[in-house]
Amino acid sequence: MRVVGLLGGTFNPIHLGHLRLAEELANALNFDEVRFIPSANPPHKPVPSVTAKHRAEMVALAIQNNAKFKLDTTELQRAGASYTIDTLKSLREELGENTSLCLIMGSDAFVKLDTWHEWETLINYCNIILVQRPQPQKTPLNTILQAFLGDHYTENNDDLVNNPAGFITMQAITALDISSTNIRNDLSAQKSTRYLMPDNVLNYISQHQLYQLQDSSAL
Ligand code: ATP
Ligand code: MG
């Protein structure tokens, strides 16, 4: 059984929180690879200020030195809203039944899972790994999601590694309090964002003048 971690996100821009998350889970669950899947048209967010092509390019730069990390552009090739269920269906077709697909989600994403398109079907196509991320206020899980979690929950990582889909687990990670929102705010206020992202991503942002970064010398 191959084990493939899936990290979907807007990556607007990618930061060290994403990379540490992927690295720690890759080690904990012995992933053969981690796919970073930029969302072209995130259904639950305003249209991103930076194009999907730029966001994917920054992901490519950020992961270039890690042999297990791959950029997956599936969602960039599809028109319309980027629904995770469609991505999982196409990944399942590509990778076959002998692959455990492990969808990685921060707690902030999981508390809204029941608003996702065909959300109850997701678990037929993947396992889910939940991680805590630092949040000012934690939103409690509603009863529907509590029941869903209870139906699929396991504390045994072998369940995820040995099954293509169907299980949910929680993993402790080093919580890095970094978010793309804060990075975008700092960039547009011309504040330093060094050491929150790899340098090559920072250089890319500066070169392409993304996020209204006017004066790169201010970095
Ligand atoms: P934004 O502020 O624009 O929403 P973000 O920093 O939350 O950006 P996303 O692209 O939305 O980044 O996140 C993709 C996935 O990575 C989500 O499942 C999210 O919970 C998770 N994630 C993002 N940052 C962290 C972090 N610092 N620690 C753990 N998980 C994270
Ligand atoms: Mg987010």
Side-chain angles (χ1 to χ4, degrees):
M1 184 78 78
R2 270 177 77 71
V3 187
V4 176
L6 307 174
L7 182 59
T10 319
F11 301 119
N12 189 26
I14 188 166
H15 53 68
L16 296 186
H18 297 125
L19 294 167
R20 271 309 298 178
L21 170 62
E23 174 70 6
E24 291 189 25
L25 294 184
N27 289 326
L29 285 114
N30 219 357
F31 289 156
D32 293 289
E33 62 178 270
V34 181
R35 299 221 182 173
F36 288 71
I37 312 174
S39 174
N41 310 301
H44 297 293
K45 283 188 178 177
V47 177
S49 50
V50 162
T51 62
K53 198 162 167 282
H54 277 313
R55 291 184 283 109
E57 191 54 45
M58 291 188 279
V59 172
L61 288 169
I63 66 177
Q64 71 184 5
N65 292 326
N66 189 319
K68 281 191 179 179
F69 289 3
K70 306 271 161 59
L71 169 66
D72 186 311
T73 56
T74 312
E75 297 190 357
L76 273 60
Q77 283 140 28
R78 271 199 324 259
S82 305
Y83 293 126
T84 300
I85 188 68
D86 297 335
T87 306
L88 290 172
K89 285 177 181 169
S90 80
L91 285 170
R92 181 57 72 198
E93 212 157 281
E94 177 194 336
L95 298 168
E97 279 304 313
N98 263 338
T99 303
S100 163
L101 294 176
C102 292
L103 184 67
I104 301 164
M105 293 179 88
S107 42
D108 57 320
F110 188 71
V111 296
K112 295 185 223 143
L113 186 73
D114 57 336
T115 64
W116 291 23
H117 185 58
E118 294 181 26
W119 74 275
E120 282 161 300
T121 319
L122 296 169
I123 198 70
N124 300 332
Y125 291 87
C126 67
N127 298 298
I128 298 177
I129 301 178
L130 299 179
V131 298
Q132 271 301 332
R133 73 183 285 194
Q135 280 167 90
Q137 74 261 21
K138 295 210 181 354
T139 318
L141 271 190
N142 67 32
T143 49
I144 293 172
L145 282 171
Q146 273 175 31
F148 176 71
L149 182 61
D151 285 347
H152 300 281
Y153 189 70
T154 179
E155 284 185 347
N156 184 356
N157 286 349
D158 288 346
D159 287 333
L160 279 86
V161 169
N162 297 326
N163 289 286
F167 289 91
I168 306 179
T169 191
M170 288 185 199
Q171 290 285 310
I173 54 153
T174 314
L176 294 183
D177 196 358
I178 303 175
S179 75
S180 303
T181 301
N182 287 344
I183 289 175
R184 289 193 301 275
N185 290 340
D186 284 351
L187 284 168
S188 58
Q190 309 222 352
K191 289 192 194 155
S192 167
T193 55
R194 281 175 86 183
Y195 314 122
L196 298 174
M197 296 171 275
D199 284 344
N200 57 3
V201 174
L202 202 57
N203 289 340
Y204 185 93
I205 290 171
S206 157
Q207 261 166 31
H208 295 269
Q209 302 194 314
L210 306 180
Y211 311 105
Q212 296 119 43
L213 178 68
Q214 271 122 33
D215 179 8
S216 60
S217 65
L219 297 170

PDB file of all heavy atoms in Angstrom, residues 170-203:
ATOM      1  N   MET A 170      -6.305  12.096  14.625  1.00  0.00           N
ATOM      2  CA  MET A 170      -5.752  13.404  14.974  1.00  0.00           C
ATOM      3  C   MET A 170      -4.274  13.231  15.234  1.00  0.00           C
ATOM      4  O   MET A 170      -3.875  12.253  15.850  1.00  0.00           O
ATOM      5  CB  MET A 170      -6.407  13.948  16.248  1.00  0.00           C
ATOM      6  CG  MET A 170      -7.826  14.392  16.034  1.00  0.00           C
ATOM      7  SD  MET A 170      -8.445  15.151  17.543  1.00  0.00           S
ATOM      8  CE  MET A 170     -10.202  15.049  17.244  1.00  0.00           C
ATOM      9  N   GLN A 171      -3.480  14.165  14.779  1.00  0.00           N
ATOM     10  CA  GLN A 171      -2.041  14.094  14.996  1.00  0.00           C
ATOM     11  C   GLN A 171      -1.570  15.378  15.663  1.00  0.00           C
ATOM     12  O   GLN A 171      -1.983  16.467  15.265  1.00  0.00           O
ATOM     13  CB  GLN A 171      -1.301  13.957  13.658  1.00  0.00           C
ATOM     14  CG  GLN A 171      -1.494  12.616  12.990  1.00  0.00           C
ATOM     15  CD  GLN A 171      -0.683  11.516  13.657  1.00  0.00           C
ATOM     16  OE1 GLN A 171       0.499  11.656  13.888  1.00  0.00           O
ATOM     17  NE2 GLN A 171      -1.346  10.411  13.972  1.00  0.00           N
ATOM     18  N   ALA A 172      -0.711  15.204  16.653  1.00  0.00           N
ATOM     19  CA  ALA A 172      -0.121  16.385  17.292  1.00  0.00           C
ATOM     20  C   ALA A 172       1.036  16.865  16.423  1.00  0.00           C
ATOM     21  O   ALA A 172       1.835  16.068  15.955  1.00  0.00           O
ATOM     22  CB  ALA A 172       0.385  16.006  18.679  1.00  0.00           C
ATOM     23  N   ILE A 173       1.084  18.147  16.174  1.00  0.00           N
ATOM     24  CA  ILE A 173       2.208  18.726  15.428  1.00  0.00           C
ATOM     25  C   ILE A 173       2.729  19.948  16.195  1.00  0.00           C
ATOM     26  O   ILE A 173       2.051  20.459  17.079  1.00  0.00           O
ATOM     27  CB  ILE A 173       1.797  19.187  14.010  1.00  0.00           C
ATOM     28  CG1 ILE A 173       0.586  20.142  14.063  1.00  0.00           C
ATOM     29  CG2 ILE A 173       1.526  18.010  13.094  1.00  0.00           C
ATOM     30  CD1 ILE A 173       0.526  21.107  12.919  1.00  0.00           C
ATOM     31  N   THR A 174       3.904  20.374  15.838  1.00  0.00           N
ATOM     32  CA  THR A 174       4.413  21.627  16.388  1.00  0.00           C
ATOM     33  C   THR A 174       3.574  22.743  15.784  1.00  0.00           C
ATOM     34  O   THR A 174       3.560  22.916  14.576  1.00  0.00           O
ATOM     35  CB  THR A 174       5.880  21.858  15.969  1.00  0.00           C
ATOM     36  OG1 THR A 174       6.585  20.646  16.165  1.00  0.00           O
ATOM     37  CG2 THR A 174       6.506  22.986  16.742  1.00  0.00           C
ATOM     38  N   ALA A 175       2.862  23.453  16.626  1.00  0.00           N
ATOM     39  CA  ALA A 175       1.960  24.461  16.085  1.00  0.00           C
ATOM     40  C   ALA A 175       2.718  25.753  15.772  1.00  0.00           C
ATOM     41  O   ALA A 175       3.171  26.448  16.675  1.00  0.00           O
ATOM     42  CB  ALA A 175       0.847  24.734  17.089  1.00  0.00           C
ATOM     43  N   LEU A 176       2.886  26.026  14.512  1.00  0.00           N
ATOM     44  CA  LEU A 176       3.507  27.294  14.117  1.00  0.00           C
ATOM     45  C   LEU A 176       2.390  28.291  13.840  1.00  0.00           C
ATOM     46  O   LEU A 176       1.540  28.057  12.985  1.00  0.00           O
ATOM     47  CB  LEU A 176       4.341  27.114  12.840  1.00  0.00           C
ATOM     48  CG  LEU A 176       5.578  26.219  12.924  1.00  0.00           C
ATOM     49  CD1 LEU A 176       6.314  26.225  11.593  1.00  0.00           C
ATOM     50  CD2 LEU A 176       6.496  26.670  14.035  1.00  0.00           C
ATOM     51  N   ASP A 177       2.412  29.379  14.559  1.00  0.00           N
ATOM     52  CA  ASP A 177       1.325  30.345  14.432  1.00  0.00           C
ATOM     53  C   ASP A 177       1.577  31.282  13.247  1.00  0.00           C
ATOM     54  O   ASP A 177       1.847  32.464  13.414  1.00  0.00           O
ATOM     55  CB  ASP A 177       1.180  31.120  15.743  1.00  0.00           C
ATOM     56  CG  ASP A 177      -0.156  31.841  15.825  1.00  0.00           C
ATOM     57  OD1 ASP A 177      -0.925  31.757  14.844  1.00  0.00           O
ATOM     58  OD2 ASP A 177      -0.427  32.481  16.846  1.00  0.00           O
ATOM     59  N   ILE A 178       1.498  30.693  12.059  1.00  0.00           N
ATOM     60  CA  ILE A 178       1.712  31.462  10.830  1.00  0.00           C
ATOM     61  C   ILE A 178       0.479  31.270   9.968  1.00  0.00           C
ATOM     62  O   ILE A 178      -0.018  30.151   9.852  1.00  0.00           O
ATOM     63  CB  ILE A 178       2.952  30.928  10.056  1.00  0.00           C
ATOM     64  CG1 ILE A 178       4.199  30.957  10.941  1.00  0.00           C
ATOM     65  CG2 ILE A 178       3.177  31.723   8.770  1.00  0.00           C
ATOM     66  CD1 ILE A 178       5.426  30.325  10.282  1.00  0.00           C
ATOM     67  N   SER A 179      -0.025  32.331   9.372  1.00  0.00           N
ATOM     68  CA  SER A 179      -1.130  32.182   8.421  1.00  0.00           C
ATOM     69  C   SER A 179      -0.869  33.072   7.216  1.00  0.00           C
ATOM     70  O   SER A 179      -0.209  34.116   7.324  1.00  0.00           O
ATOM     71  CB  SER A 179      -2.469  32.564   9.068  1.00  0.00           C
ATOM     72  OG  SER A 179      -2.565  33.974   9.180  1.00  0.00           O
ATOM     73  N   SER A 180      -1.398  32.652   6.076  1.00  0.00           N
ATOM     74  CA  SER A 180      -1.256  33.450   4.857  1.00  0.00           C
ATOM     75  C   SER A 180      -1.925  34.810   5.029  1.00  0.00           C
ATOM     76  O   SER A 180      -1.447  35.812   4.505  1.00  0.00           O
ATOM     77  CB  SER A 180      -1.871  32.713   3.668  1.00  0.00           C
ATOM     78  OG  SER A 180      -1.295  31.451   3.513  1.00  0.00           O
ATOM     79  N   THR A 181      -3.043  34.832   5.755  1.00  0.00           N
ATOM     80  CA  THR A 181      -3.740  36.106   5.967  1.00  0.00           C
ATOM     81  C   THR A 181      -2.812  37.110   6.639  1.00  0.00           C
ATOM     82  O   THR A 181      -2.704  38.264   6.191  1.00  0.00           O
ATOM     83  CB  THR A 181      -5.008  35.894   6.836  1.00  0.00           C
ATOM     84  OG1 THR A 181      -5.857  34.975   6.166  1.00  0.00           O
ATOM     85  CG2 THR A 181      -5.744  37.196   7.080  1.00  0.00           C
ATOM     86  N   ASN A 182      -2.142  36.673   7.710  1.00  0.00           N
ATOM     87  CA  ASN A 182      -1.226  37.596   8.396  1.00  0.00           C
ATOM     88  C   ASN A 182      -0.072  38.005   7.496  1.00  0.00           C
ATOM     89  O   ASN A 182       0.363  39.159   7.519  1.00  0.00           O
ATOM     90  CB  ASN A 182      -0.687  36.962   9.685  1.00  0.00           C
ATOM     91  CG  ASN A 182      -1.762  36.907  10.759  1.00  0.00           C
ATOM     92  OD1 ASN A 182      -2.789  37.581  10.652  1.00  0.00           O
ATOM     93  ND2 ASN A 182      -1.543  36.095  11.771  1.00  0.00           N
ATOM     94  N   ILE A 183       0.424  37.066   6.702  1.00  0.00           N
ATOM     95  CA  ILE A 183       1.524  37.385   5.781  1.00  0.00           C
ATOM     96  C   ILE A 183       1.066  38.423   4.756  1.00  0.00           C
ATOM     97  O   ILE A 183       1.765  39.407   4.499  1.00  0.00           O
ATOM     98  CB  ILE A 183       2.041  36.109   5.086  1.00  0.00           C
ATOM     99  CG1 ILE A 183       2.790  35.238   6.104  1.00  0.00           C
ATOM    100  CG2 ILE A 183       2.928  36.452   3.890  1.00  0.00           C
ATOM    101  CD1 ILE A 183       3.243  33.907   5.576  1.00  0.00           C
ATOM    102  N   ARG A 184      -0.122  38.237   4.195  1.00  0.00           N
ATOM    103  CA  ARG A 184      -0.628  39.213   3.211  1.00  0.00           C
ATOM    104  C   ARG A 184      -0.762  40.595   3.848  1.00  0.00           C
ATOM    105  O   ARG A 184      -0.392  41.605   3.236  1.00  0.00           O
ATOM    106  CB  ARG A 184      -1.994  38.763   2.653  1.00  0.00           C
ATOM    107  CG  ARG A 184      -1.935  37.565   1.738  1.00  0.00           C
ATOM    108  CD  ARG A 184      -3.265  37.379   0.976  1.00  0.00           C
ATOM    109  NE  ARG A 184      -4.421  37.199   1.829  1.00  0.00           N
ATOM    110  CZ  ARG A 184      -4.817  36.037   2.353  1.00  0.00           C
ATOM    111  NH1 ARG A 184      -4.117  34.926   2.117  1.00  0.00           N
ATOM    112  NH2 ARG A 184      -5.903  35.965   3.101  1.00  0.00           N
ATOM    113  N   ASN A 185      -1.272  40.619   5.072  1.00  0.00           N
ATOM    114  CA  ASN A 185      -1.423  41.907   5.762  1.00  0.00           C
ATOM    115  C   ASN A 185      -0.076  42.565   5.986  1.00  0.00           C
ATOM    116  O   ASN A 185       0.083  43.769   5.758  1.00  0.00           O
ATOM    117  CB  ASN A 185      -2.150  41.724   7.091  1.00  0.00           C
ATOM    118  CG  ASN A 185      -3.610  41.371   6.890  1.00  0.00           C
ATOM    119  OD1 ASN A 185      -4.166  41.620   5.807  1.00  0.00           O
ATOM    120  ND2 ASN A 185      -4.225  40.759   7.882  1.00  0.00           N
ATOM    121  N   ASP A 186       0.888  41.786   6.432  1.00  0.00           N
ATOM    122  CA  ASP A 186       2.220  42.346   6.675  1.00  0.00           C
ATOM    123  C   ASP A 186       2.857  42.836   5.381  1.00  0.00           C
ATOM    124  O   ASP A 186       3.485  43.896   5.348  1.00  0.00           O
ATOM    125  CB  ASP A 186       3.133  41.302   7.336  1.00  0.00           C
ATOM    126  CG  ASP A 186       2.810  41.114   8.816  1.00  0.00           C
ATOM    127  OD1 ASP A 186       2.008  41.911   9.347  1.00  0.00           O
ATOM    128  OD2 ASP A 186       3.353  40.182   9.431  1.00  0.00           O
ATOM    129  N   LEU A 187       2.695  42.061   4.309  1.00  0.00           N
ATOM    130  CA  LEU A 187       3.287  42.470   3.027  1.00  0.00           C
ATOM    131  C   LEU A 187       2.680  43.781   2.551  1.00  0.00           C
ATOM    132  O   LEU A 187       3.399  44.683   2.115  1.00  0.00           O
ATOM    133  CB  LEU A 187       3.086  41.381   1.966  1.00  0.00           C
ATOM    134  CG  LEU A 187       4.005  40.158   2.085  1.00  0.00           C
ATOM    135  CD1 LEU A 187       3.508  39.044   1.171  1.00  0.00           C
ATOM    136  CD2 LEU A 187       5.454  40.510   1.747  1.00  0.00           C
ATOM    137  N   SER A 188       1.367  43.898   2.663  1.00  0.00           N
ATOM    138  CA  SER A 188       0.769  45.127   2.133  1.00  0.00           C
ATOM    139  C   SER A 188       1.070  46.312   3.047  1.00  0.00           C
ATOM    140  O   SER A 188       1.048  47.460   2.605  1.00  0.00           O
ATOM    141  CB  SER A 188      -0.720  44.958   1.853  1.00  0.00           C
ATOM    142  OG  SER A 188      -1.368  44.579   3.012  1.00  0.00           O
ATOM    143  N   ALA A 189       1.394  46.035   4.296  1.00  0.00           N
ATOM    144  CA  ALA A 189       1.811  47.123   5.201  1.00  0.00           C
ATOM    145  C   ALA A 189       3.322  47.324   5.156  1.00  0.00           C
ATOM    146  O   ALA A 189       3.870  48.072   5.969  1.00  0.00           O
ATOM    147  CB  ALA A 189       1.377  46.808   6.624  1.00  0.00           C
ATOM    148  N   GLN A 190       3.960  46.615   4.221  1.00  0.00           N
ATOM    149  CA  GLN A 190       5.419  46.715   4.047  1.00  0.00           C
ATOM    150  C   GLN A 190       6.193  46.332   5.304  1.00  0.00           C
ATOM    151  O   GLN A 190       7.251  46.887   5.602  1.00  0.00           O
ATOM    152  CB  GLN A 190       5.793  48.129   3.584  1.00  0.00           C
ATOM    153  CG  GLN A 190       4.959  48.551   2.397  1.00  0.00           C
ATOM    154  CD  GLN A 190       5.756  49.273   1.335  1.00  0.00           C
ATOM    155  OE1 GLN A 190       6.921  49.602   1.508  1.00  0.00           O
ATOM    156  NE2 GLN A 190       5.141  49.512   0.205  1.00  0.00           N
ATOM    157  N   LYS A 191       5.644  45.379   6.025  1.00  0.00           N
ATOM    158  CA  LYS A 191       6.376  44.851   7.192  1.00  0.00           C
ATOM    159  C   LYS A 191       7.187  43.628   6.769  1.00  0.00           C
ATOM    160  O   LYS A 191       6.862  42.964   5.781  1.00  0.00           O
ATOM    161  CB  LYS A 191       5.384  44.433   8.281  1.00  0.00           C
ATOM    162  CG  LYS A 191       4.704  45.581   8.967  1.00  0.00           C
ATOM    163  CD  LYS A 191       3.999  45.022  10.205  1.00  0.00           C
ATOM    164  CE  LYS A 191       3.004  45.975  10.794  1.00  0.00           C
ATOM    165  NZ  LYS A 191       1.966  45.245  11.545  1.00  0.00           N
ATOM    166  N   SER A 192       8.180  43.299   7.545  1.00  0.00           N
ATOM    167  CA  SER A 192       9.017  42.149   7.219  1.00  0.00           C
ATOM    168  C   SER A 192       8.240  40.838   7.358  1.00  0.00           C
ATOM    169  O   SER A 192       7.513  40.643   8.332  1.00  0.00           O
ATOM    170  CB  SER A 192      10.227  42.092   8.151  1.00  0.00           C
ATOM    171  OG  SER A 192      10.845  40.824   8.020  1.00  0.00           O
ATOM    172  N   THR A 193       8.411  39.954   6.378  1.00  0.00           N
ATOM    173  CA  THR A 193       7.831  38.610   6.466  1.00  0.00           C
ATOM    174  C   THR A 193       8.936  37.549   6.352  1.00  0.00           C
ATOM    175  O   THR A 193       8.641  36.390   6.074  1.00  0.00           O
ATOM    176  CB  THR A 193       6.780  38.374   5.362  1.00  0.00           C
ATOM    177  OG1 THR A 193       7.403  38.631   4.104  1.00  0.00           O
ATOM    178  CG2 THR A 193       5.577  39.279   5.530  1.00  0.00           C
ATOM    179  N   ARG A 194      10.172  37.976   6.539  1.00  0.00           N
ATOM    180  CA  ARG A 194      11.272  37.008   6.493  1.00  0.00           C
ATOM    181  C   ARG A 194      11.094  35.962   7.585  1.00  0.00           C
ATOM    182  O   ARG A 194      10.576  36.253   8.656  1.00  0.00           O
ATOM    183  CB  ARG A 194      12.612  37.713   6.713  1.00  0.00           C
ATOM    184  CG  ARG A 194      13.109  38.406   5.477  1.00  0.00           C
ATOM    185  CD  ARG A 194      14.354  39.173   5.810  1.00  0.00           C
ATOM    186  NE  ARG A 194      15.546  38.331   5.715  1.00  0.00           N
ATOM    187  CZ  ARG A 194      16.775  38.764   6.024  1.00  0.00           C
ATOM    188  NH1 ARG A 194      16.955  39.993   6.436  1.00  0.00           N
ATOM    189  NH2 ARG A 194      17.808  37.967   5.910  1.00  0.00           N
ATOM    190  N   TYR A 195      11.552  34.760   7.287  1.00  0.00           N
ATOM    191  CA  TYR A 195      11.524  33.606   8.208  1.00  0.00           C
ATOM    192  C   TYR A 195      10.111  33.070   8.456  1.00  0.00           C
ATOM    193  O   TYR A 195       9.903  32.250   9.328  1.00  0.00           O
ATOM    194  CB  TYR A 195      12.237  33.932   9.530  1.00  0.00           C
ATOM    195  CG  TYR A 195      13.569  34.629   9.323  1.00  0.00           C
ATOM    196  CD1 TYR A 195      13.837  35.874   9.882  1.00  0.00           C
ATOM    197  CD2 TYR A 195      14.556  34.043   8.518  1.00  0.00           C
ATOM    198  CE1 TYR A 195      15.044  36.518   9.671  1.00  0.00           C
ATOM    199  CE2 TYR A 195      15.764  34.687   8.298  1.00  0.00           C
ATOM    200  CZ  TYR A 195      16.006  35.927   8.868  1.00  0.00           C
ATOM    201  OH  TYR A 195      17.192  36.557   8.645  1.00  0.00           O
ATOM    202  N   LEU A 196       9.152  33.563   7.700  1.00  0.00           N
ATOM    203  CA  LEU A 196       7.812  32.963   7.742  1.00  0.00           C
ATOM    204  C   LEU A 196       7.587  32.081   6.528  1.00  0.00           C
ATOM    205  O   LEU A 196       6.722  31.210   6.524  1.00  0.00           O
ATOM    206  CB  LEU A 196       6.732  34.055   7.767  1.00  0.00           C
ATOM    207  CG  LEU A 196       6.752  35.002   8.968  1.00  0.00           C
ATOM    208  CD1 LEU A 196       5.725  36.111   8.793  1.00  0.00           C
ATOM    209  CD2 LEU A 196       6.488  34.223  10.261  1.00  0.00           C
ATOM    210  N   MET A 197       8.408  32.333   5.493  1.00  0.00           N
ATOM    211  CA  MET A 197       8.340  31.587   4.231  1.00  0.00           C
ATOM    212  C   MET A 197       9.766  31.292   3.807  1.00  0.00           C
ATOM    213  O   MET A 197      10.682  31.996   4.234  1.00  0.00           O
ATOM    214  CB  MET A 197       7.737  32.457   3.128  1.00  0.00           C
ATOM    215  CG  MET A 197       6.342  32.875   3.328  1.00  0.00           C
ATOM    216  SD  MET A 197       5.889  34.089   2.072  1.00  0.00           S
ATOM    217  CE  MET A 197       6.464  35.593   2.817  1.00  0.00           C
ATOM    218  N   PRO A 198       9.949  30.305   2.904  1.00  0.00           N
ATOM    219  CA  PRO A 198      11.294  30.131   2.355  1.00  0.00           C
ATOM    220  C   PRO A 198      11.717  31.399   1.615  1.00  0.00           C
ATOM    221  O   PRO A 198      10.877  32.110   1.051  1.00  0.00           O
ATOM    222  CB  PRO A 198      11.131  28.969   1.370  1.00  0.00           C
ATOM    223  CG  PRO A 198       9.874  28.275   1.772  1.00  0.00           C
ATOM    224  CD  PRO A 198       8.987  29.333   2.371  1.00  0.00           C
ATOM    225  N   ASP A 199      13.016  31.667   1.597  1.00  0.00           N
ATOM    226  CA  ASP A 199      13.526  32.890   0.950  1.00  0.00           C
ATOM    227  C   ASP A 199      13.149  32.970  -0.530  1.00  0.00           C
ATOM    228  O   ASP A 199      12.874  34.051  -1.045  1.00  0.00           O
ATOM    229  CB  ASP A 199      15.060  32.950   1.072  1.00  0.00           C
ATOM    230  CG  ASP A 199      15.482  33.366   2.477  1.00  0.00           C
ATOM    231  OD1 ASP A 199      14.632  33.895   3.225  1.00  0.00           O
ATOM    232  OD2 ASP A 199      16.660  33.141   2.814  1.00  0.00           O
ATOM    233  N   ASN A 200      13.159  31.792  -1.213  1.00  0.00           N
ATOM    234  CA  ASN A 200      12.860  31.876  -2.648  1.00  0.00           C
ATOM    235  C   ASN A 200      11.403  32.294  -2.907  1.00  0.00           C
ATOM    236  O   ASN A 200      11.107  32.917  -3.926  1.00  0.00           O
ATOM    237  CB  ASN A 200      13.268  30.589  -3.391  1.00  0.00           C
ATOM    238  CG  ASN A 200      12.620  29.338  -2.843  1.00  0.00           C
ATOM    239  OD1 ASN A 200      11.807  29.405  -1.922  1.00  0.00           O
ATOM    240  ND2 ASN A 200      12.978  28.191  -3.412  1.00  0.00           N
ATOM    241  N   VAL A 201      10.516  31.987  -1.978  1.00  0.00           N
ATOM    242  CA  VAL A 201       9.117  32.439  -2.116  1.00  0.00           C
ATOM    243  C   VAL A 201       9.035  33.952  -1.901  1.00  0.00           C
ATOM    244  O   VAL A 201       8.389  34.679  -2.662  1.00  0.00           O
ATOM    245  CB  VAL A 201       8.192  31.690  -1.122  1.00  0.00           C
ATOM    246  CG1 VAL A 201       6.769  32.255  -1.164  1.00  0.00           C
ATOM    247  CG2 VAL A 201       8.185  30.198  -1.419  1.00  0.00           C
ATOM    248  N   LEU A 202       9.752  34.389  -0.896  1.00  0.00           N
ATOM    249  CA  LEU A 202       9.813  35.825  -0.616  1.00  0.00           C
ATOM    250  C   LEU A 202      10.376  36.601  -1.816  1.00  0.00           C
ATOM    251  O   LEU A 202       9.841  37.645  -2.214  1.00  0.00           O
ATOM    252  CB  LEU A 202      10.704  36.032   0.607  1.00  0.00           C
ATOM    253  CG  LEU A 202      10.552  37.294   1.410  1.00  0.00           C
ATOM    254  CD1 LEU A 202       9.130  37.455   1.899  1.00  0.00           C
ATOM    255  CD2 LEU A 202      11.506  37.253   2.604  1.00  0.00           C
ATOM    256  N   ASN A 203      11.419  36.044  -2.423  1.00  0.00           N
ATOM    257  CA  ASN A 203      12.010  36.680  -3.608  1.00  0.00           C
ATOM    258  C   ASN A 203      11.025  36.720  -4.768  1.00  0.00           C
ATOM    259  O   ASN A 203      10.940  37.707  -5.489  1.00  0.00           O
ATOM    260  CB  ASN A 203      13.277  35.937  -4.048  1.00  0.00           C
ATOM    261  CG  ASN A 203      14.409  36.152  -3.063  1.00  0.00           C
ATOM    262  OD1 ASN A 203      14.384  37.106  -2.289  1.00  0.00           O
ATOM    263  ND2 ASN A 203      15.387  35.256  -3.071  1.00  0.00           N
TER     264      ASN A 203
END
